[in-house]
């Protein structure tokens, strides 16, 4: 059997990160089925034909033609994703020029949290040869347990229309296109059942990066944010939830009436592999209305912390909005300048607030 090509390599600039490495959940592993998540189909007829897609606004990976597919999770603003375009354009040409691989090995880019305009600019500037589609709501990125980009996943199937099985992956830049070409060509001689039957560990639990502050400091900041809403603070506590989400609750008493407020501490890995992770908390009431948002660690280009004015402008844009509502991210309107990826992650975290409300209700904690 072909030796699996599994390279989980973090190419992180230690100076830019202040020397701090963060542990992430392992991405999707060899032998796992590639998730069937709907993605927007390319509008370009040639790209649709290359992928083997028919009509329809969306598609899933099982609809792609061929026996082997390389799926690159990327972000159009990530420096290493931009550098990867050159080697992958070379790989695309190698695959299309070889009779052994043409039509049998496909390449697909999936741009996490990027708008159509950002993707179009990325393709135009870097002359990307293979199709790139959007994953604006982190749907596929979450399903493959993705963290920083670029993350390349190699999948295999035995017959058209069958589910894809992961046969390897690579996290970070990759310049050995001759070696990768040989690996992908070799996969054509393998059966998906061979990889699916490989012994593997259980799917790892999600590992959330830890904020730079300790529990005592975070509790102090959350309690202060509650008090700033007006009233006497009572019953402040951290909730124990089946999901493990980090949520605090407290009762505020004012003019003889009580109300319960909540705060979730959101900690997310960055999309870019040279950027700081994203840490903040937001306040909301039992109806799901956002009452406030405070940073624990929010950075922009160069890993520079957001200043007070940038944070205030961002908060004004989300204050009073319902967690049950739509949190579709528009980089032209919603992003802090030079912090588009961080802004997108915050919006996605708030978009997951509706799931949190459902969990609180199920646990009878919404008061």
């Amino acid at each position: 059997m072909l030796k699996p090509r599994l390279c989980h390599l973090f190419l992180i600039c230690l100076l830019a990160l202040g020397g701090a490495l963060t542990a992430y959940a392992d991405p999707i592993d060899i032998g796992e089925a590639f998730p069937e998540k709907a993605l927007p189909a390319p509008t370009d007829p040639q790209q649709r034909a290359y992928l083997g897609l028919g009509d329809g606004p969306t598609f899933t990976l099982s609809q792609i033609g061929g026996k082997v597919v390389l799926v690159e999770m990327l972000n159009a603003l990530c420096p290493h994703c931009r550098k990867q375009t050159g080697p992958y354009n070379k790989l695309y040409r190698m695959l299309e020029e070889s009779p052994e691989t043409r039509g049998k090995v496909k390449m697909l880019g999936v741009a996490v949290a990027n708008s159509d305009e950002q993707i179009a600019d990325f393709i135009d500037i870097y002359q990307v040869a293979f199709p790139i589609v959007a994953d604006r709501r982190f749907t596929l990125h979450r399903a493959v347990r993705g963290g920083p980009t670029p993350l390349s996943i190699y999948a295999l199937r035995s017959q058209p229309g069958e589910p894809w099985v992961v046969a390897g992956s690579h996290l970070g830049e990759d310049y050995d296109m001759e070696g990768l070409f040989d690996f992908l060509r070799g996969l054509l001689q393998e059966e998906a059942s061979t990889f699916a039957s490989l012994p593997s560990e259980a799917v790892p639990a999600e590992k959330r990066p830890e904020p730079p502050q300790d529990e005592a400091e975070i509790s102090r900041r959350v309690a202060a944010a509650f008090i700033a809403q007006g009233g006497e603070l009572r019953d402040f506590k951290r909730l124990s939830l089946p999901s493990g989400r980090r949520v605090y609750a407290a009762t505020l008493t004012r003019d003889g009436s009580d109300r319960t407020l909540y705060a979730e501490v959101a900690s997310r890995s960055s999309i870019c592999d040279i950027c700081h992770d994203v840490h903040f908390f937001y306040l909301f009431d039992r109806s799901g209305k956002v009452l406030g948002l405070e940073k624990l660690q929010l950075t922009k280009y160069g890993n520079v912390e957001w200043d007070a004015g940038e944070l205030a402008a961002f908060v004004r844009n989300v204050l009073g909005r319902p967690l049950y509502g739509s949190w579709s991210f528009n980089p032209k309107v919603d992003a802090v300048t030079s912090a588009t990826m961080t802004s997108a992650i915050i919006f996605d975290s708030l978009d997951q607030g509706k799931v949190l409300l459902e969990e609180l209700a199920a646990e009878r904690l919404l008061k």
Side-chain angles (χ1 to χ4, degrees), residues 56-289:
T58 64
F59 73 102
T60 62
L61 209 68
S62 63
Q63 295 173 259
I64 293 178
K67 183 177 179 180
V68 174
V69 63
L70 184 162
V71 179
E72 183 196 13
M73 307 298 298
L74 60 93
N75 182 277
L77 304 179
C78 168
H80 289 162
C81 297
R82 293 173 173 178
K83 292 180 181 178
Q84 189 63 55
T85 56
Y88 271 3
N89 280 340
K90 175 183 176 180
L91 176 65
Y92 174 83
R93 291 191 295 270
M94 293 170 67
L95 292 170
E96 289 299 289
E97 290 169 2
S98 169
E100 293 181 82
T101 55
R102 185 172 57 249
K104 302 171 186 175
V105 181
K106 303 293 183 180
M107 295 178 64
L108 173 68
V110 179
V112 184
N114 289 136
S115 66
D116 292 341
E117 183 178 351
Q118 289 173 323
I119 294 171
D121 288 344
F122 181 79
I123 292 172
D124 182 56
I125 293 170
Y126 299 99
Q127 294 296 293
V128 181
F130 52 94
I132 297 179
V133 298
D135 183 24
R136 297 194 64 178
R137 306 299 280 267
F138 293 77
T139 304
L140 184 60
H141 184 261
R142 203 173 351 259
V144 300
R145 303 191 297 277
T149 57
L151 166 64
S152 297
I153 303 166
Y154 323 121
L156 165 72
R157 66 182 175 194
S158 297
Q159 297 294 331
E162 289 184 353
W164 296 87
V165 175
V166 176
S169 64
H170 184 97
L171 182 56
E173 295 174 76
D174 191 356
Y175 295 103
D176 181 15
M177 293 303 98
E178 286 75 14
L180 181 52
F181 174 84
D182 289 341
F183 173 76
L184 296 174
R185 180 177 58 184
L187 282 179
L188 293 173
Q189 310 306 316
E190 301 290 339
E191 294 296 323
S193 58
T194 303
F195 290 89
S197 64
L198 288 175
S200 60
E201 299 178 359
V203 174
E206 182 182 0
K207 299 176 185 176
R208 298 181 179 91
E210 287 296 319
Q213 300 84 6
D214 60 19
E215 174 65 23
E217 175 63 13
I218 291 173
S219 295
R220 185 192 68 78
R221 292 195 187 188
V222 172
F226 280 149
I227 294 171
Q229 293 294 315
E232 178 186 350
L233 185 70
R234 296 191 294 108
D235 302 326
F236 176 79
K237 59 186 175 182
R238 179 174 173 178
L239 303 178
S240 178
L241 296 175
S243 65
R245 295 174 73 157
R246 194 169 187 169
V247 179
Y248 298 82
T251 300
L252 282 181
T253 301
R254 183 176 183 180
D255 298 330
S257 62
D258 294 340
R259 62 173 178 156
T260 302
L261 300 184
Y262 305 85
E264 180 182 25
V265 175
S267 292
R268 297 276 296 270
S269 66
S270 64
I271 309 172
C272 170
D273 61 0
I274 60 171
C275 301
H276 280 315
D277 292 328
V278 176
H279 304 279
F280 67 97
F281 66 86
Y282 64 98
L283 275 61
F284 59 98
D285 61 18
R286 66 186 308 274
S287 72
K289 184 171 71 173

Side-chain angles (χ1 to χ4, degrees), residues 289-338:
K289 184 171 71 173
V290 176
L291 303 175
L293 186 149
E294 298 196 17
K295 70 173 182 176
L296 296 172
Q297 178 178 277
L298 298 176
T299 58
K300 55 186 178 181
Y301 180 78
N303 287 320
V304 176
E305 283 280 342
W306 290 15
D307 61 33
E310 291 167 332
L311 179 62
F314 186 89
V315 171
R316 283 195 298 271
N317 199 21
V318 302
L319 209 60
R321 293 177 58 172
L323 294 176
Y324 279 120
S326 173
W327 289 90
S328 180
F329 178 69
N330 182 343
K332 289 186 175 181
V333 177
D334 302 318
V336 167
T337 302
S338 300

